[in-house]
C-alpha cells in the first residue's frame, strides 16, 4: 500500500551538557519519504539555518534536502504533504522550500512555536506557508494516520503507515531519541500490565494507543537503528 524511504539529512553534535554524560554525542537527522496511492508525503525536512549561537552550540552538518530527494528519484515540487513531528529547527529546516504545500502539525505545537523562543521563527511563518492544524489523532490518507506522541514537546506527533502484508510502521520522530529507549518503555509497559511489583519505570501513556496498531517496525529521527517486533 505504501513504501517508506529514509532520507539522511546530515547530523549535529549534541553537547555533553544536554547528553548528561562526559562527552558530546553526534546524532543523525533523518526524514522519511512516504509514497502511496494518494501521492508523496515527507515526514520532517531537516536542519534549518540558525543563529550564530545555535550554529556554534550544535555544529550541524547538513545534507541539502533537494539532493536527498533527488537520490530518491523525486523533487521538492513532487511532494504533496509535509508532516513535521515537531517544529524544532532540526525537524522543520526545509519547510520554507514548500511554499503552498500543506504542512500538517498539531495546533498546540504551532501555537507554541509562534510564541517565540522555541525554534527559528523564519522556519515557521515563511512566505507561502500553508498549515493544516490537527487536534489529536487524524487519518490523513487511507492507511496513514497521525498519532499525538507528547513528551519531547507537548505537540509532538508521529505517523502510522500501513504497508503491504498487514505491516504497520511507526515513524516516531523524536518521541523517543533511540530505538533502545523505545524498547525499554515497551517492556516497562508490559511489566506494569502483567502486574510486576513496584517500583517500575514509567512509560508514556500514548504507548497504549500505539499498541492497538501493533507496528512491526518503528523508525526514529535521530537513530539509524530500527525497533522491530520479535
Amino acid at each position: 500500500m505504501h513504501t517508506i524511504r529514509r532520507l539522511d539529512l546530515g547530523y549535529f553534535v549534541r553537547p555533553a551538557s544536554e547528553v548528561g554524560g562526559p562527552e558530546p554525542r553526534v546524532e543523525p537527522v533523518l526524514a522519511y519519504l512516504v509514497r502511496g496511492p494518494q501521492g508523496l508525503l515527507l515526514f520532517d525536512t531537516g536542519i534549518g539555518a540558525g543563529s550564530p549561537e545555535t550554529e556554534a552550540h550544535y555544529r550541524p552538518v547538513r545534507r541539502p534536502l533537494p539532493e536527498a530527494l533527488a537520490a530518491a528519484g523525486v523533487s521538492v515540487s513532487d511532494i504533496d504533504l509535509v508532516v513535521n513531528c515537531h517544529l524544532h529547527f532540526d525537524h522543520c529546516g526545509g519547510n520554507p522550500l514548500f511554499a503552498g504545500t500543506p504542512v500538517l502539525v498539531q495546533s498546540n505545537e504551532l501555537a507554541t512555536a509562534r510564541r517565540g523562543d522555541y525554534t527559528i521563527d523564519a522556519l515557521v511563518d515563511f512566505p507561502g506557508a500553508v498549515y493544516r492544524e490537527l487536534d489529536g489523532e487524524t487519518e490523513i490518507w487511507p492507511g496513514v494516520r497521525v498519532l499525538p506522541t507528547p513528551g519531547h514537546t507537548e505537540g509532538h506527533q508521529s505517523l502510522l503507515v500501513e504497508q503491504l502484508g498487514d505491516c504497520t510502521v511507526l515513524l516516531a520522530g523524536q518521541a523517543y531519541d533511540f530505538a533502545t529507549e523505545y524498547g525499554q518503555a515497551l517492556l516497562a509497559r508490559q511489566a506494569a500490565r502483567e502486574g510486576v511489583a513496584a517500583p517500575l519505570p514509567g512509560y508514556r501513556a500514548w504507548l497504549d494507543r500505539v499498541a492497538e496498531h501493533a507496528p512491526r517496525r518503528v523508525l526514529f529521527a535521530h537513530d539509524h537503528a530500527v525497533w522491530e517486533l520479535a
Side-chain angles (χ1 to χ4, degrees):
M1 183 181 295
H2 299 94
T3 63
I4 299 170
R5 176 157 177 164
R6 184 162 65 187
L7 305 179
D8 182 349
L9 298 182
Y11 59 88
F12 65 95
V13 182
R14 191 177 294 280
S17 61
E18 295 184 8
V19 171
E23 293 184 325
R25 183 172 65 218
V26 182
E27 298 185 9
V29 174
L30 306 171
Y32 294 90
L33 181 66
V34 179
R35 185 189 298 268
Q38 289 73 36
L40 288 170
L41 179 155
L42 184 61
F43 186 71
D44 282 352
T45 62
I47 312 170
S51 65
E53 294 78 14
T54 301
E55 294 292 305
H57 188 74
Y58 288 113
R59 295 175 282 162
V61 174
R62 300 171 177 85
R63 183 187 185 195
L65 179 57
E67 175 186 306
L69 288 172
V74 302
S75 66
V76 167
S77 62
D78 294 325
I79 302 300
D80 298 293
L81 283 179
V82 172
V83 179
N84 293 123
C85 66
H86 65 294
L87 294 174
H88 284 166
F89 87 110
D90 53 325
H91 296 265
C92 68
N95 282 22
L97 295 171
F98 296 98
T101 300
V103 177
L104 277 59
V105 65
Q106 293 293 315
S107 59
N108 58 342
E109 179 72 13
L110 183 58
T112 299
R114 283 175 167 165
R115 283 197 290 269
D117 196 28
Y118 181 80
T119 188
I120 299 169
D121 293 345
L123 300 177
V124 177
D125 286 314
F126 52 89
V130 177
Y131 283 102
R132 178 177 163 192
E133 297 183 47
L134 307 179
D135 289 298
E137 185 173 336
T138 307
E139 185 176 55
I140 57 175
W141 285 343
V144 180
R145 180 176 295 271
V146 167
L147 183 69
T149 50
H152 177 67
T153 72
E154 185 59 30
H156 191 283
Q157 60 185 10
S158 300
L159 200 66
L160 285 158
V161 181
E162 294 179 7
Q163 294 189 293
L164 291 175
D166 195 29
C167 174
T168 298
V169 175
L170 178 66
L171 303 181
Q174 204 172 344
Y176 284 94
D177 282 343
F178 306 115
T180 51
E181 289 182 344
Y182 178 82
Q184 289 166 1
L186 288 185
L187 282 175
R189 176 181 180 273
Q190 179 180 342
R193 291 172 62 84
E194 292 178 352
V196 175
L200 288 172
Y203 64 90
R204 291 171 181 166
W206 50 259
L207 283 173
D208 292 337
R209 182 61 176 146
V210 170
E212 295 177 20
H213 291 275
R216 299 190 63 84
R217 302 174 72 231
V218 182
L219 294 83
F220 303 87
H222 296 310
D223 190 0
H224 286 106
V226 176
W227 180 90
E228 295 193 78
L229 184 66

